Amino acid sequence: GENVEQHPSTLSVQEGDSAVIKCTYSDSASNYFPWYKQELGKRPQLIIDIRSNVGEKKDQRIAVTLNKTAKHFSLHITETQPEDSAVYFCAVDNTDKLIFGTGTRLQVFP
Amino acid sequence: GAGVSQTPSNKVTEKGKYVELRCDPISGHTALYWYRQSLGQGPEFLIYFQGTGAADDSGLPNDRFFAVRPEGSVSTLKIQRTERGDSAVYLCASSLLSRATDTQYFGPGTRLTVL
């Protein structure tokens, strides 16, 4: 079955710096790669997603890049702010469901 | 509009008891998913409904777990003879179309604690 690995597990940055989170997957048939943000005690919320027909997608301070050949994709957050502090999960579609990574706890210090 | 809702928000039960967790998806969404999230982990797939039928229940850990969606809207996850290892946050998600590449919107979850 699909295996999704996410790194790092924790990430601390200074406000204004950039943050990068990486995920690798195993099934070359996967075509959809969403990123979810989960604040403590809250529901996961989709922040950006990418499909296999594009290599990069950007939405304001957030971008995702995809390398289908190498089977990895990354989340990039620029000009980080304290409110970006949360746990971020990558996910990959597998048949009719999403397989999630183990999460990255991002802390942005003022 | 209203998002996905789940009730109860918290459920504390004793080992061996039966529990039901409810999910109200976004109106008009045909697909409904149940996930389980243990502390420090990502959501883990349990079951997927396309309309009223369970299209994929491969994630249910054993036959103590069962879910229904009789009218293609509200879904109930049922757990019999609960065990301490069942303690987790149970998340429900829905999507407009019945494919995993469609955006899934999550509910707030039900935190189940089995004593």
Side-chain angles (χ1 to χ4, degrees):
Chain A
E2 176 71 270
N3 182 44
V4 180
E5 294 190 358
Q6 183 171 347
H7 299 280
S9 56
T10 61
L11 180 59
S12 295
V13 300
Q14 204 74 33
E15 182 178 0
D17 287 350
S18 296
V20 181
I21 304 169
K22 299 180 180 179
C23 283
T24 62
Y25 61 99
S26 58
D27 189 349
S28 56
S30 296
N31 288 306
Y32 177 60
F33 310 90
W35 286 90
Y36 283 83
K37 175 183 180 181
Q38 188 174 32
E39 297 178 14
L40 190 62
K42 300 292 180 63
R43 72 187 75 193
Q45 292 200 304
L46 179 74
I47 55 171
I48 196 167
D49 58 14
I50 193 168
R51 287 174 170 77
S52 60
N53 57 342
V54 298
E56 183 174 0
K57 183 176 178 180
K58 189 173 181 180
D59 182 4
Q60 299 182 349
R61 296 185 298 109
I62 294 172
V64 56
T65 58
L66 170 65
N67 184 327
K68 278 221 78 178
T69 302
K71 288 186 277 191
H72 67 71
F73 59 111
S74 299
L75 176 70
H76 305 254
I77 306 174
T78 58
E79 300 170 30
T80 53
Q81 301 169 1
E83 51 265 39
D84 294 330
S85 297
V87 178
Y88 292 80
F89 293 98
C90 65
V92 177
D93 75 297
N94 179 255
T95 315
D96 47 22
K97 56 189 174 287
L98 292 178
I99 305 298
F100 284 82
T102 50
T104 296
R105 180 172 299 281
L106 173 64
Q107 290 184 297
V108 181
F109 293 98
Chain B
V4 179
S5 60
Q6 292 185 245
T7 55
S9 55
N10 280 284
K11 177 69 178 178
V12 180
T13 191
E14 293 180 342
K15 180 175 178 297
K17 299 289 188 181
Y18 168 82
V19 296
E20 289 189 353
L21 313 179
R22 176 188 167 109
C23 172
D24 281 84
I26 294 172
S27 178
H29 279 197
T30 58
L32 186 146
Y33 304 81
W34 283 99
Y35 294 87
R36 179 168 70 175
Q37 187 174 27
S38 300
L39 194 63
Q41 299 296 314
E44 178 188 10
F45 170 78
L46 296 177
I47 187 169
Y48 153 60
F49 286 91
Q50 183 175 325
T52 59
D56 184 348
D57 64 358
S58 62
L60 295 178
N62 50 60
D63 60 7
R64 295 187 297 106
F65 289 74
F66 188 71
V68 295
R69 192 186 186 200
E71 297 179 357
S73 179
V74 171
S75 176
T76 304
L77 179 65
K78 309 180 182 195
I79 310 174
Q80 298 178 319
R81 305 183 302 280
T82 51
E83 300 178 357
R84 293 194 180 87
D86 298 335
S87 296
V89 175
Y90 289 81
L91 294 165
C92 174
S94 70
S95 65
L96 181 62
L97 302 174
S98 295
R99 52 179 188 239
T101 54
D102 198 37
T103 300
Q104 294 186 25
Y105 298 90
F106 281 83
T110 293
R111 181 175 299 278
L112 175 66
T113 303
V114 182
L115 301 176

